[in-house]
Amino acid sequence: MSAKNEKIAIVSRSFWPESPAIGEALLLLAESLSKDAKPVVMTQVNKGFTKKLKNAGRGQDVKFVTLPALTDSSSPMVSRISELLLFTGFTFTSLVYHRPDKVYVATNPPVFTPLAVRWYCQLFDKKYVYHLQDIHPEITSIVTGKNNFLTRLLERVDTKTITKASTVITLTEQMQSYITKRTGKQLNIKLLSNPAVQDSNQTDNTSLERIKGFVYCGNAGRLQRIPLLLDSIKRYIQEGGKLPFVFAGGGVYSDAIQELAAQYQNVSYLGVLPAHEASNLLHQYSFGLMPIEDEVTKYAFPSKSSSYIFSGCQVIAVCGKDTSVAEWVLTNNLGYVAEPNIESLVSLFHEIEKNSQSGFNIADELLKELTPQSHADSLKSMIMQG
């Protein structure tokens, strides 16, 4: 079969326009594949998706097979799980109907949808590329604090899905090492960083006049050391610290952030912002806060990292020095790493306040790697070779 006649499916619940980073990259991937093959995108969309595509002049020669989005992050867990299973069934039946020759599948949603892809490919002798943007069910176990028979069963299921893939894509060497250890096999594993939200209105990110202060933009969840961060900010302010802190995003610690903002004038909480407003916010401040639990770095990498760097923020990573996050920041000279304790973090805040603002130069090569277009180009190469 010639490449032009090859049908390639892209399976991911995250897609354009709701997901401005990875979703944009996947749309660019589909558009690029349409020049060499027949792409079919299987995803969930909000109302008006077709009209938005038409108005933006996007998605020409790409077939979209969609399921309406029924829940969001605030929906009850039972509803979220039900939708996950519904999307899994939708994916399998769509694959059987459209019969793609290759399938690209990401971990959104995890475990079950990749399993449906594996079943289809085994049934019809096709190949699939498995993109582990995070590793489940290990992350779920950290969040819930539970590691029982069900999580071990899901781990075995996902391990088999990984080993049957023609190509496995993940984010870091630490995640690659864990995948190799978990499967006990040397697999065809490729590394690819997550893309950043690209704001076409911003050109020179490093030469902008910025507020000397700290921004946190993203999920304020259980894996982000938010209590430690808030206690450190409180101590810093009580010791006379003057620099501002701005938070944007939702999560289980939203109320705690709002309480701190009500207490102190130089702490602000903006809630959940649209993507373009979040991008503008990152362009206003000098330092991006990126706390992360050390254990999580075996299974994931903070998604906000790429957007911080692409926006010209220096990163303040709060994690152990032997993690992939710390290595990334220090190796690329992207900012600072604070040990995950109050003393270390407060000391760094004071140090930054005393130092005069210095320039921050990001390698052009790194910036290019973080664009959705570069991400799409890399994915296309891996899929065509896989």
mmCIF file of all heavy atoms in Angstrom, residues 10 15-16 19-36 39 41 53 57-60 62 64 195-196 198 370-380 383:
data_model
loop_
_atom_site.group_PDB
_atom_site.id
_atom_site.type_symbol
_atom_site.label_atom_id
_atom_site.label_comp_id
_atom_site.label_asym_id
_atom_site.label_seq_id
_atom_site.Cartn_x
_atom_site.Cartn_y
_atom_site.Cartn_z
ATOM 1 N N ILE A 10 -5.801 9.250 14.595
ATOM 2 C CA ILE A 10 -5.271 9.989 15.748
ATOM 3 C C ILE A 10 -6.342 9.937 16.825
ATOM 4 O O ILE A 10 -7.455 10.445 16.626
ATOM 5 C CB ILE A 10 -4.959 11.447 15.376
ATOM 6 C CG1 ILE A 10 -3.892 11.511 14.284
ATOM 7 C CG2 ILE A 10 -4.519 12.241 16.613
ATOM 8 C CD1 ILE A 10 -3.702 12.897 13.694
ATOM 9 N N PHE A 15 -8.033 17.991 22.271
ATOM 10 C CA PHE A 15 -7.916 18.426 20.877
ATOM 11 C C PHE A 15 -8.226 19.915 20.780
ATOM 12 O O PHE A 15 -8.683 20.547 21.725
ATOM 13 C CB PHE A 15 -8.851 17.597 19.979
ATOM 14 C CG PHE A 15 -8.432 17.565 18.538
ATOM 15 C CD1 PHE A 15 -7.306 16.865 18.159
ATOM 16 C CD2 PHE A 15 -9.147 18.268 17.576
ATOM 17 C CE1 PHE A 15 -6.893 16.847 16.830
ATOM 18 C CE2 PHE A 15 -8.753 18.253 16.247
ATOM 19 C CZ PHE A 15 -7.620 17.545 15.874
ATOM 20 N N TRP A 16 -7.935 20.446 19.618
ATOM 21 C CA TRP A 16 -8.198 21.846 19.308
ATOM 22 C C TRP A 16 -9.698 22.097 19.306
ATOM 23 O O TRP A 16 -10.465 21.232 18.881
ATOM 24 C CB TRP A 16 -7.594 22.122 17.923
ATOM 25 C CG TRP A 16 -7.733 23.518 17.411
ATOM 26 C CD1 TRP A 16 -6.845 24.530 17.516
ATOM 27 C CD2 TRP A 16 -8.849 24.058 16.679
ATOM 28 N NE1 TRP A 16 -7.323 25.665 16.895
ATOM 29 C CE2 TRP A 16 -8.558 25.396 16.376
ATOM 30 C CE3 TRP A 16 -10.077 23.547 16.258
ATOM 31 C CZ2 TRP A 16 -9.438 26.219 15.679
ATOM 32 C CZ3 TRP A 16 -10.949 24.360 15.572
ATOM 33 C CH2 TRP A 16 -10.632 25.680 15.285
ATOM 34 N N SER A 19 -7.859 22.506 23.848
ATOM 35 C CA SER A 19 -6.498 22.257 24.302
ATOM 36 C C SER A 19 -5.532 23.013 23.385
ATOM 37 O O SER A 19 -5.213 22.546 22.296
ATOM 38 C CB SER A 19 -6.194 20.754 24.270
ATOM 39 O OG SER A 19 -4.875 20.498 24.654
ATOM 40 N N PRO A 20 -5.082 24.213 23.802
ATOM 41 C CA PRO A 20 -4.324 25.077 22.893
ATOM 42 C C PRO A 20 -2.885 24.646 22.651
ATOM 43 O O PRO A 20 -2.239 25.180 21.760
ATOM 44 C CB PRO A 20 -4.371 26.438 23.593
ATOM 45 C CG PRO A 20 -4.505 26.108 25.036
ATOM 46 C CD PRO A 20 -5.326 24.849 25.102
ATOM 47 N N ALA A 21 -2.369 23.700 23.424
ATOM 48 C CA ALA A 21 -0.989 23.241 23.219
ATOM 49 C C ALA A 21 -0.990 21.907 22.484
ATOM 50 O O ALA A 21 -0.762 21.844 21.278
ATOM 51 C CB ALA A 21 -0.261 23.139 24.561
ATOM 52 N N ILE A 22 -1.270 20.814 23.207
ATOM 53 C CA ILE A 22 -1.242 19.500 22.571
ATOM 54 C C ILE A 22 -2.365 19.376 21.540
ATOM 55 O O ILE A 22 -2.200 18.731 20.492
ATOM 56 C CB ILE A 22 -1.337 18.363 23.626
ATOM 57 C CG1 ILE A 22 -1.074 17.002 22.981
ATOM 58 C CG2 ILE A 22 -2.683 18.382 24.343
ATOM 59 C CD1 ILE A 22 0.326 16.822 22.456
ATOM 60 N N GLY A 23 -3.510 20.013 21.786
ATOM 61 C CA GLY A 23 -4.610 19.953 20.832
ATOM 62 C C GLY A 23 -4.267 20.628 19.523
ATOM 63 O O GLY A 23 -4.572 20.121 18.434
ATOM 64 N N GLU A 24 -3.602 21.779 19.602
ATOM 65 C CA GLU A 24 -3.139 22.472 18.400
ATOM 66 C C GLU A 24 -2.115 21.619 17.659
ATOM 67 O O GLU A 24 -2.142 21.521 16.417
ATOM 68 C CB GLU A 24 -2.541 23.828 18.785
ATOM 69 C CG GLU A 24 -1.800 24.551 17.672
ATOM 70 C CD GLU A 24 -2.677 25.011 16.534
ATOM 71 O OE1 GLU A 24 -3.926 25.043 16.687
ATOM 72 O OE2 GLU A 24 -2.130 25.342 15.460
ATOM 73 N N ALA A 25 -1.201 20.992 18.414
ATOM 74 C CA ALA A 25 -0.181 20.144 17.789
ATOM 75 C C ALA A 25 -0.817 18.967 17.054
ATOM 76 O O ALA A 25 -0.390 18.607 15.945
ATOM 77 C CB ALA A 25 0.799 19.645 18.842
ATOM 78 N N LEU A 26 -1.851 18.369 17.641
ATOM 79 C CA LEU A 26 -2.505 17.225 16.995
ATOM 80 C C LEU A 26 -3.283 17.642 15.751
ATOM 81 O O LEU A 26 -3.353 16.886 14.766
ATOM 82 C CB LEU A 26 -3.422 16.506 17.987
ATOM 83 C CG LEU A 26 -2.706 15.775 19.137
ATOM 84 C CD1 LEU A 26 -3.718 15.124 20.063
ATOM 85 C CD2 LEU A 26 -1.725 14.741 18.599
ATOM 86 N N LEU A 27 -3.863 18.839 15.771
ATOM 87 C CA LEU A 27 -4.533 19.326 14.564
ATOM 88 C C LEU A 27 -3.506 19.592 13.465
ATOM 89 O O LEU A 27 -3.722 19.244 12.293
ATOM 90 C CB LEU A 27 -5.326 20.592 14.876
ATOM 91 C CG LEU A 27 -6.065 21.229 13.687
ATOM 92 C CD1 LEU A 27 -6.977 20.231 12.989
ATOM 93 C CD2 LEU A 27 -6.855 22.455 14.144
ATOM 94 N N LEU A 28 -2.382 20.192 13.831
ATOM 95 C CA LEU A 28 -1.311 20.400 12.855
ATOM 96 C C LEU A 28 -0.805 19.063 12.306
ATOM 97 O O LEU A 28 -0.511 18.943 11.111
ATOM 98 C CB LEU A 28 -0.150 21.164 13.506
ATOM 99 C CG LEU A 28 -0.384 22.649 13.786
ATOM 100 C CD1 LEU A 28 0.733 23.188 14.690
ATOM 101 C CD2 LEU A 28 -0.436 23.448 12.490
ATOM 102 N N LEU A 29 -0.708 18.058 13.180
ATOM 103 C CA LEU A 29 -0.288 16.724 12.755
ATOM 104 C C LEU A 29 -1.262 16.162 11.723
ATOM 105 O O LEU A 29 -0.849 15.651 10.668
ATOM 106 C CB LEU A 29 -0.211 15.796 13.969
ATOM 107 C CG LEU A 29 -0.056 14.296 13.680
ATOM 108 C CD1 LEU A 29 1.279 14.021 12.985
ATOM 109 C CD2 LEU A 29 -0.173 13.497 14.981
ATOM 110 N N ALA A 30 -2.565 16.257 12.031
ATOM 111 C CA ALA A 30 -3.570 15.730 11.111
ATOM 112 C C ALA A 30 -3.513 16.446 9.768
ATOM 113 O O ALA A 30 -3.589 15.815 8.697
ATOM 114 C CB ALA A 30 -4.962 15.871 11.737
ATOM 115 N N GLU A 31 -3.361 17.771 9.803
ATOM 116 C CA GLU A 31 -3.293 18.546 8.559
ATOM 117 C C GLU A 31 -2.057 18.172 7.741
ATOM 118 O O GLU A 31 -2.113 18.090 6.517
ATOM 119 C CB GLU A 31 -3.294 20.042 8.895
ATOM 120 C CG GLU A 31 -4.631 20.529 9.453
ATOM 121 C CD GLU A 31 -4.558 21.937 10.016
ATOM 122 O OE1 GLU A 31 -3.445 22.387 10.407
ATOM 123 O OE2 GLU A 31 -5.605 22.598 10.086
ATOM 124 N N SER A 32 -0.943 17.929 8.442
ATOM 125 C CA SER A 32 0.283 17.539 7.752
ATOM 126 C C SER A 32 0.162 16.135 7.158
ATOM 127 O O SER A 32 0.595 15.884 6.029
ATOM 128 C CB SER A 32 1.467 17.604 8.716
ATOM 129 O OG SER A 32 2.662 17.209 8.090
ATOM 130 N N LEU A 33 -0.441 15.227 7.907
ATOM 131 C CA LEU A 33 -0.618 13.862 7.413
ATOM 132 C C LEU A 33 -1.508 13.811 6.176
ATOM 133 O O LEU A 33 -1.365 12.913 5.333
ATOM 134 C CB LEU A 33 -1.227 12.982 8.511
ATOM 135 C CG LEU A 33 -0.294 12.539 9.641
ATOM 136 C CD1 LEU A 33 -1.093 11.856 10.745
ATOM 137 C CD2 LEU A 33 0.786 11.603 9.115
ATOM 138 N N SER A 34 -2.420 14.780 6.046
ATOM 139 C CA SER A 34 -3.348 14.765 4.909
ATOM 140 C C SER A 34 -2.630 14.931 3.567
ATOM 141 O O SER A 34 -3.191 14.614 2.516
ATOM 142 C CB SER A 34 -4.395 15.877 5.073
ATOM 143 O OG SER A 34 -3.801 17.160 4.946
ATOM 144 N N LYS A 35 -1.383 15.412 3.612
ATOM 145 C CA LYS A 35 -0.600 15.564 2.377
ATOM 146 C C LYS A 35 -0.010 14.228 1.921
ATOM 147 O O LYS A 35 0.345 14.073 0.747
ATOM 148 C CB LYS A 35 0.522 16.577 2.597
ATOM 149 C CG LYS A 35 0.036 17.961 3.014
ATOM 150 C CD LYS A 35 1.194 18.848 3.435
ATOM 151 C CE LYS A 35 0.712 20.186 3.980
ATOM 152 N NZ LYS A 35 1.837 21.020 4.485
ATOM 153 N N ASP A 36 0.137 13.285 2.870
ATOM 154 C CA ASP A 36 0.811 12.029 2.559
ATOM 155 C C ASP A 36 -0.049 10.794 2.817
ATOM 156 O O ASP A 36 0.322 9.693 2.431
ATOM 157 C CB ASP A 36 2.088 11.896 3.401
ATOM 158 C CG ASP A 36 3.011 13.097 3.261
ATOM 159 O OD1 ASP A 36 3.470 13.332 2.143
ATOM 160 O OD2 ASP A 36 3.243 13.784 4.255
ATOM 161 N N PRO A 39 -5.772 10.953 7.110
ATOM 162 C CA PRO A 39 -5.916 11.013 8.571
ATOM 163 C C PRO A 39 -7.372 10.996 9.025
ATOM 164 O O PRO A 39 -8.247 11.601 8.393
ATOM 165 C CB PRO A 39 -5.253 12.349 8.911
ATOM 166 C CG PRO A 39 -5.434 13.184 7.699
ATOM 167 C CD PRO A 39 -5.398 12.247 6.529
ATOM 168 N N VAL A 41 -9.331 11.671 12.699
ATOM 169 C CA VAL A 41 -9.197 12.100 14.087
ATOM 170 C C VAL A 41 -10.403 11.629 14.876
ATOM 171 O O VAL A 41 -11.548 11.894 14.490
ATOM 172 C CB VAL A 41 -9.077 13.643 14.177
ATOM 173 C CG1 VAL A 41 -9.084 14.090 15.637
ATOM 174 C CG2 VAL A 41 -7.814 14.120 13.478
ATOM 175 N N LEU A 53 -13.926 25.061 13.137
ATOM 176 C CA LEU A 53 -12.965 24.614 12.135
ATOM 177 C C LEU A 53 -13.120 25.410 10.840
ATOM 178 O O LEU A 53 -12.133 25.899 10.268
ATOM 179 C CB LEU A 53 -13.162 23.127 11.836
ATOM 180 C CG LEU A 53 -12.516 22.088 12.745
ATOM 181 C CD1 LEU A 53 -12.962 20.701 12.313
ATOM 182 C CD2 LEU A 53 -10.997 22.182 12.724
ATOM 183 N N GLY A 57 -10.558 28.086 9.080
ATOM 184 C CA GLY A 57 -9.934 27.534 7.879
ATOM 185 C C GLY A 57 -9.009 26.372 8.188
ATOM 186 O O GLY A 57 -7.974 26.195 7.539
ATOM 187 N N ARG A 58 -9.403 25.551 9.154
ATOM 188 C CA ARG A 58 -8.546 24.457 9.615
ATOM 189 C C ARG A 58 -9.164 23.097 9.258
ATOM 190 O O ARG A 58 -10.358 22.973 9.010
ATOM 191 C CB ARG A 58 -8.351 24.514 11.143
ATOM 192 C CG ARG A 58 -7.780 25.829 11.678
ATOM 193 C CD ARG A 58 -6.352 26.082 11.229
ATOM 194 N NE ARG A 58 -5.448 24.997 11.583
ATOM 195 C CZ ARG A 58 -4.815 24.934 12.773
ATOM 196 N NH1 ARG A 58 -5.004 25.851 13.693
ATOM 197 N NH2 ARG A 58 -3.973 23.943 13.011
ATOM 198 N N GLY A 59 -8.301 22.078 9.287
ATOM 199 C CA GLY A 59 -8.763 20.704 9.164
ATOM 200 C C GLY A 59 -9.195 20.264 7.779
ATOM 201 O O GLY A 59 -9.930 19.274 7.640
ATOM 202 N N GLN A 60 -8.730 20.956 6.735
ATOM 203 C CA GLN A 60 -9.094 20.543 5.381
ATOM 204 C C GLN A 60 -8.472 19.189 5.046
ATOM 205 O O GLN A 60 -7.332 18.907 5.403
ATOM 206 C CB GLN A 60 -8.631 21.600 4.375
ATOM 207 C CG GLN A 60 -9.333 22.943 4.548
ATOM 208 C CD GLN A 60 -8.868 23.982 3.558
ATOM 209 O OE1 GLN A 60 -8.267 23.657 2.544
ATOM 210 N NE2 GLN A 60 -9.149 25.247 3.839
ATOM 211 N N VAL A 62 -9.100 16.431 6.344
ATOM 212 C CA VAL A 62 -9.005 15.592 7.541
ATOM 213 C C VAL A 62 -10.412 15.127 7.907
ATOM 214 O O VAL A 62 -11.345 15.933 7.943
ATOM 215 C CB VAL A 62 -8.394 16.358 8.732
ATOM 216 C CG1 VAL A 62 -8.374 15.469 9.984
ATOM 217 C CG2 VAL A 62 -6.992 16.854 8.399
ATOM 218 N N PHE A 64 -13.018 13.882 10.634
ATOM 219 C CA PHE A 64 -13.208 13.954 12.078
ATOM 220 C C PHE A 64 -14.366 13.055 12.494
ATOM 221 O O PHE A 64 -15.471 13.155 11.947
ATOM 222 C CB PHE A 64 -13.495 15.395 12.516
ATOM 223 C CG PHE A 64 -12.333 16.327 12.307
ATOM 224 C CD1 PHE A 64 -12.222 17.073 11.139
ATOM 225 C CD2 PHE A 64 -11.334 16.446 13.265
ATOM 226 C CE1 PHE A 64 -11.152 17.928 10.933
ATOM 227 C CE2 PHE A 64 -10.256 17.294 13.068
ATOM 228 C CZ PHE A 64 -10.160 18.038 11.903
ATOM 229 N N PRO A 195 4.432 20.288 23.994
ATOM 230 C CA PRO A 195 4.486 21.616 23.373
ATOM 231 C C PRO A 195 3.968 22.693 24.318
ATOM 232 O O PRO A 195 3.302 22.401 25.316
ATOM 233 C CB PRO A 195 3.556 21.462 22.165
ATOM 234 C CG PRO A 195 2.545 20.454 22.617
ATOM 235 C CD PRO A 195 3.300 19.483 23.496
ATOM 236 N N ALA A 196 4.270 23.932 23.975
ATOM 237 C CA ALA A 196 3.795 25.077 24.741
ATOM 238 C C ALA A 196 2.632 25.732 24.023
ATOM 239 O O ALA A 196 2.426 25.539 22.821
ATOM 240 C CB ALA A 196 4.929 26.083 24.933
ATOM 241 N N GLN A 198 1.379 28.609 22.148
ATOM 242 C CA GLN A 198 2.084 29.609 21.345
ATOM 243 C C GLN A 198 1.165 30.793 21.081
ATOM 244 O O GLN A 198 0.092 30.648 20.505
ATOM 245 C CB GLN A 198 2.558 29.011 20.023
ATOM 246 C CG GLN A 198 3.453 29.943 19.226
ATOM 247 C CD GLN A 198 4.089 29.236 18.036
ATOM 248 O OE1 GLN A 198 3.829 28.065 17.797
ATOM 249 N NE2 GLN A 198 4.932 29.942 17.317
ATOM 250 N N LEU A 370 9.718 23.518 21.424
ATOM 251 C CA LEU A 370 8.513 23.602 22.244
ATOM 252 C C LEU A 370 7.288 24.088 21.482
ATOM 253 O O LEU A 370 6.198 24.141 22.043
ATOM 254 C CB LEU A 370 8.768 24.530 23.443
ATOM 255 C CG LEU A 370 9.873 24.085 24.408
ATOM 256 C CD1 LEU A 370 10.053 25.113 25.515
ATOM 257 C CD2 LEU A 370 9.557 22.721 24.995
ATOM 258 N N THR A 371 7.448 24.454 20.212
ATOM 259 C CA THR A 371 6.299 24.938 19.446
ATOM 260 C C THR A 371 5.392 23.771 19.051
ATOM 261 O O THR A 371 5.863 22.652 18.832
ATOM 262 C CB THR A 371 6.751 25.664 18.163
ATOM 263 O OG1 THR A 371 7.446 24.736 17.318
ATOM 264 C CG2 THR A 371 7.648 26.850 18.490
ATOM 265 N N PRO A 372 4.077 24.007 18.954
ATOM 266 C CA PRO A 372 3.176 22.958 18.466
ATOM 267 C C PRO A 372 3.572 22.422 17.090
ATOM 268 O O PRO A 372 3.418 21.233 16.823
ATOM 269 C CB PRO A 372 1.816 23.672 18.427
ATOM 270 C CG PRO A 372 1.911 24.722 19.491
ATOM 271 C CD PRO A 372 3.337 25.201 19.420
ATOM 272 N N GLN A 373 4.088 23.297 16.220
ATOM 273 C CA GLN A 373 4.490 22.850 14.887
ATOM 274 C C GLN A 373 5.639 21.855 14.955
ATOM 275 O O GLN A 373 5.635 20.823 14.275
ATOM 276 C CB GLN A 373 4.895 24.043 14.023
ATOM 277 C CG GLN A 373 5.238 23.677 12.586
ATOM 278 C CD GLN A 373 4.067 23.087 11.830
ATOM 279 O OE1 GLN A 373 3.070 23.771 11.611
ATOM 280 N NE2 GLN A 373 4.157 21.823 11.425
ATOM 281 N N SER A 374 6.650 22.142 15.790
ATOM 282 C CA SER A 374 7.776 21.223 15.942
ATOM 283 C C SER A 374 7.304 19.896 16.539
ATOM 284 O O SER A 374 7.751 18.821 16.121
ATOM 285 C CB SER A 374 8.845 21.854 16.844
ATOM 286 O OG SER A 374 9.907 20.944 17.065
ATOM 287 N N HIS A 375 6.384 19.977 17.505
ATOM 288 C CA HIS A 375 5.825 18.767 18.124
ATOM 289 C C HIS A 375 5.113 17.925 17.068
ATOM 290 O O HIS A 375 5.298 16.703 17.002
ATOM 291 C CB HIS A 375 4.857 19.175 19.232
ATOM 292 C CG HIS A 375 4.406 18.045 20.091
ATOM 293 N ND1 HIS A 375 5.115 17.596 21.183
ATOM 294 C CD2 HIS A 375 3.305 17.252 20.026
ATOM 295 C CE1 HIS A 375 4.472 16.593 21.755
ATOM 296 N NE2 HIS A 375 3.374 16.358 21.064
ATOM 297 N N ALA A 376 4.312 18.583 16.244
ATOM 298 C CA ALA A 376 3.582 17.880 15.189
ATOM 299 C C ALA A 376 4.538 17.234 14.186
ATOM 300 O O ALA A 376 4.328 16.085 13.757
ATOM 301 C CB ALA A 376 2.638 18.837 14.479
ATOM 302 N N ASP A 377 5.578 17.953 13.811
ATOM 303 C CA ASP A 377 6.568 17.411 12.854
ATOM 304 C C ASP A 377 7.242 16.164 13.424
ATOM 305 O O ASP A 377 7.451 15.175 12.695
ATOM 306 C CB ASP A 377 7.615 18.480 12.522
ATOM 307 C CG ASP A 377 7.055 19.636 11.717
ATOM 308 O OD1 ASP A 377 5.949 19.486 11.142
ATOM 309 O OD2 ASP A 377 7.703 20.691 11.677
ATOM 310 N N SER A 378 7.602 16.220 14.704
ATOM 311 C CA SER A 378 8.258 15.071 15.340
ATOM 312 C C SER A 378 7.309 13.880 15.416
ATOM 313 O O SER A 378 7.701 12.739 15.141
ATOM 314 C CB SER A 378 8.743 15.446 16.740
ATOM 315 O OG SER A 378 9.736 16.455 16.689
ATOM 316 N N LEU A 379 6.058 14.134 15.787
ATOM 317 C CA LEU A 379 5.061 13.054 15.850
ATOM 318 C C LEU A 379 4.873 12.412 14.482
ATOM 319 O O LEU A 379 4.788 11.183 14.365
ATOM 320 C CB LEU A 379 3.726 13.591 16.365
ATOM 321 C CG LEU A 379 3.576 13.816 17.871
ATOM 322 C CD1 LEU A 379 2.187 14.348 18.178
ATOM 323 C CD2 LEU A 379 3.832 12.536 18.654
ATOM 324 N N LYS A 380 4.790 13.240 13.449
ATOM 325 C CA LYS A 380 4.574 12.699 12.102
ATOM 326 C C LYS A 380 5.726 11.768 11.715
ATOM 327 O O LYS A 380 5.490 10.666 11.183
ATOM 328 C CB LYS A 380 4.470 13.844 11.095
ATOM 329 C CG LYS A 380 4.233 13.350 9.670
ATOM 330 C CD LYS A 380 4.111 14.500 8.673
ATOM 331 C CE LYS A 380 3.922 13.969 7.259
ATOM 332 N NZ LYS A 380 3.821 15.075 6.273
ATOM 333 N N ILE A 383 5.381 8.498 13.647
ATOM 334 C CA ILE A 383 4.243 7.687 13.191
ATOM 335 C C ILE A 383 4.539 7.042 11.848
ATOM 336 O O ILE A 383 4.263 5.854 11.639
ATOM 337 C CB ILE A 383 2.975 8.555 13.115
ATOM 338 C CG1 ILE A 383 2.521 8.955 14.525
ATOM 339 C CG2 ILE A 383 1.851 7.813 12.393
ATOM 340 C CD1 ILE A 383 1.446 10.020 14.535
#
